[in-house]
Amino acid sequence: MSFASSVPLTLACARAGILAGWQGGPATSLAEFERYLVDLGRIEDAPAIVNLPARSAADDWGVPRLAMLERHRAPLVLSSVGDPSRMVERVHGWGGRVIQDVTTMRHAEKAIDAGVDGLMLTCAGAGGHSGFLTPFAFVPAVRRIWDGLLIVGGGIADAHGIAAALALGGDLACMGTRFIATPESGVTGAHRDMIARVGMDRIVVSAAMNGVPANWIRDSIEDAGLDPATLPATRTTMPEGVRPWRDIFSAGHSVGLIDDIVPVEDVAESLIATLASLLPEAQWRQRLCELDEQWMR
């Protein structure tokens, strides 16, 4: 969800000890893209993951941005939508690591064959372009064929969700919607307020906004003058002045667990405190240390 991504959000997450992702899409120029990379490069507490589609290794939009990532020696790149082989080759060339976003077993198998360093499983309930597989089957199935870094996302908004993701075989949990409802995110105030107000029953799947099925908040579709019940199955023309993501809001099923808009620091403190009561810290830290050793070889 590119409009939610912002440098302030990424920096706030890093300061709070959260591995933060940044979506390069909102940058309107190469100069702005590089300015963001300079800001992100100042993070000392934790590296940021820069998100670029796999096609960025070959298309006119992505090639110069990938070159900038190389100049700045970006340590982590989140790849998605397509074959990551060329992305892996480029990023490994400067010593970086590639994590591939996948939604199906076939996607996971192809990413592993391409030599990625980690997988992010986007499961049912995620915001944006969600997956549709339950993590209760998807995560263990991928674990049968992959022993590397595994990130689990989709409907997670609290420490209990993190603990469940780790219990299923994940190494890290990914949250998106929870961090949209923070002052640091790049969305409008109306988007934040709606996430804190609606329940998961107000989330609908539609491909009408941009041609790819995604999770949207029903109320924002109606506010844009559209009827969710009559939206076509393929991309349709939006009302004048309406832009998906900016004006029609995306969110995951975890809206049902979010009741307020609080700073990233407060979200992190709550997650850390509750997780400590659910899982022995030594258990999951040991696993991450083992993965770190693998990456250093």
Side-chain angles (χ1 to χ4, degrees):
M1 289 179 276
S2 59
F3 281 97
S5 182
S6 70
V7 171
L9 177 59
T10 303
L11 293 173
C13 286
R15 294 189 192 102
I18 297 169
L19 182 60
W22 174 66
Q23 176 97 300
T28 56
S29 68
L30 285 173
E32 189 174 9
F33 188 88
E34 185 154 35
R35 179 175 60 80
Y36 287 160
L37 291 179
V38 170
D39 288 341
L40 295 176
R42 296 192 178 105
I43 298 176
E44 297 180 359
D45 301 315
I49 301 177
V50 178
N51 184 358
L52 283 181
R55 66 175 185 275
S56 300
D59 67 17
D60 293 340
W61 181 89
V63 167
R65 286 163 173 78
L66 192 57
M68 283 187 179
L69 292 184
E70 182 172 6
R71 283 204 303 274
H72 289 272
R73 293 294 190 267
L76 295 170
V77 175
L78 177 63
S79 172
S80 60
V81 191
D83 181 359
S85 299
R86 296 182 68 175
M87 179 75 77
V88 168
E89 182 180 0
R90 285 291 304 278
V91 176
H92 282 182
W94 72 71
R97 301 291 180 176
V98 177
I99 299 169
Q100 180 74 8
D101 183 355
V102 301
T103 58
T104 69
M105 285 299 297
R106 181 59 182 147
H107 289 164
E109 291 165 353
K110 292 175 69 174
I112 293 169
D113 290 342
V116 300
D117 304 286
L119 297 173
M120 186 172 85
L121 309 189
T122 300
C123 304
H129 295 132
S130 175
F132 298 96
L133 297 179
T134 171
F136 294 104
F138 193 20
V139 178
V142 172
R143 261 295 172 232
R144 291 183 175 184
I145 62 171
W146 174 249
D147 189 42
L149 177 67
L150 197 59
I151 305 172
V152 182
I156 300 174
D158 58 21
H160 292 84
I162 297 174
L166 300 186
L168 287 170
D171 298 307
L172 298 171
C174 178
M175 294 184 184
T177 302
R178 170 63 271 187
F179 288 96
I180 298 178
T182 62
E184 295 92 344
S185 74
V187 302
T188 63
H191 193 166
R192 294 189 192 94
D193 292 342
M194 196 170 287
I195 285 176
R197 187 179 76 245
V198 304
M200 66 182 73
D201 288 344
R202 303 301 292 176
I203 302 299
V204 297
V205 178
S206 176
M209 314 312 167
N210 68 347
V212 181
N215 278 326
W216 307 92
I217 303 178
R218 175 184 293 271
D219 304 55
S220 69
I221 297 174
E222 295 170 345
D223 289 347
L226 297 168
D227 180 359
T230 61
L231 288 174
T234 57
R235 186 169 189 167
T236 188
T237 301
M238 293 289 105
E240 184 176 357
V242 172
R243 186 175 176 184
W245 308 109
R246 184 193 67 188
D247 306 307
I248 300 179
F249 308 145
S250 182
H253 292 173
S254 62
V255 293
L257 303 173
I258 301 169
D259 303 314
D260 50 11
I261 300 166
V262 295
V264 167
E265 182 179 6
D266 293 348
V267 175
E269 287 180 357
S270 175
L271 292 173
I272 292 168
T274 306
L275 186 62
S277 70
L278 299 173
L279 283 178
E281 182 176 341
Q283 178 180 325
W284 55 265
R285 281 199 179 276
Q286 179 180 354
R287 167 62 178 167
L288 293 179
C289 288
E290 291 172 355
L291 288 169
D292 186 55
E293 290 177 1
Q294 289 180 19
W295 279 18
M296 295 300 290
R297 290 172 189 164

